[in-house]
Amino acid sequence: MKLTIIIPTLNRKKSLFQTLESYKKYKKDYDEMIIIDQSNESIENEVVREYEKVRYIHYPFPSLTKARNIGIAESKGDILVFSDDDIEILPNTLNNIKKFFSENKDVSLIGAFNEFEKEKLSKKINLKNILSCLIGKRNIFKLKKGHVVNSIFGNFPVDINFDTNNFIETEWAMGFFFACRRKLIEKW
């Protein structure tokens, strides 16, 4: 099972390179990485010189959807991982994705999940929870907590330490990291 990582980016060179450094530690766990850079200026030479298994595409028209579609069209993987340019990949994440798809042939799409938080979200009913249940088909008594790092505000954390409180609680599935089977995309 081949795994491709697709990373769109736009004028965030520092964040992109920090993310690439994170992935570099696990280069044996993926087959290719495609960066779709929508910035004004290309940084292809820097990216190609520094990182293996990376294909760089400069597409100077900002559109996250187009960037992801270009990545899909250029990819060769059976599993496509869509990653933002400001994340820190955790150990075993890519292997866990491959294992999950290998063991669950009927699943075609997964989102990020948080192994670090085992508690249930409080059953406190508030407007945010009610709205999420009304529009998101969620059971208000089965909501779970997750975390995002401060990069949600545009600041890439230099050092991610899961023992500190540099996380922001969230109930929402974010678009920062998800994976799907190529056959799902080809079907639709």
Side-chain angles (χ1 to χ4, degrees), residues 31-94:
D31 298 285
E32 68 177 341
M33 178 184 291
I34 301 172
I35 297 169
I36 304 89
D37 187 359
Q38 303 164 86
S39 305
N40 299 329
E41 295 183 27
S42 172
I43 56 171
E44 180 174 11
N45 291 338
E46 294 173 72
V47 171
V48 172
R49 182 179 61 237
E50 292 292 322
Y51 302 98
E52 299 175 36
K53 298 185 187 180
V54 173
R55 287 195 297 149
Y56 177 93
I57 299 168
H58 187 244
Y59 182 79
F61 305 103
S63 169
L64 179 59
T65 303
K66 278 193 186 268
R68 286 179 176 162
N69 285 337
I70 290 168
I72 292 166
E74 295 292 323
S75 68
K76 296 178 176 74
D78 305 304
I79 303 298
L80 307 178
V81 174
F82 296 89
S83 172
D84 274 4
D85 61 359
D86 63 352
I87 70 160
E88 175 83 10
I89 193 78
L90 299 175
N92 297 319
T93 298
L94 300 175

Side-chain angles (χ1 to χ4, degrees), residues 117 119-121 138 142-146 170-172:
E117 182 60 59
E119 298 174 21
K120 299 269 184 188
L121 183 63
R138 302 178 85 177
K142 292 187 179 177
L143 292 175
K144 293 191 177 179
K145 254 200 262 195
T170 180
E171 300 167 18
W172 304 100

Side-chain angles (χ1 to χ4, degrees), residues 140-153:
I140 198 154
F141 299 108
K142 292 187 179 177
L143 292 175
K144 293 191 177 179
K145 254 200 262 195
H147 292 95
V148 292
V149 294
N150 289 330
S151 63
I152 193 168
F153 297 118

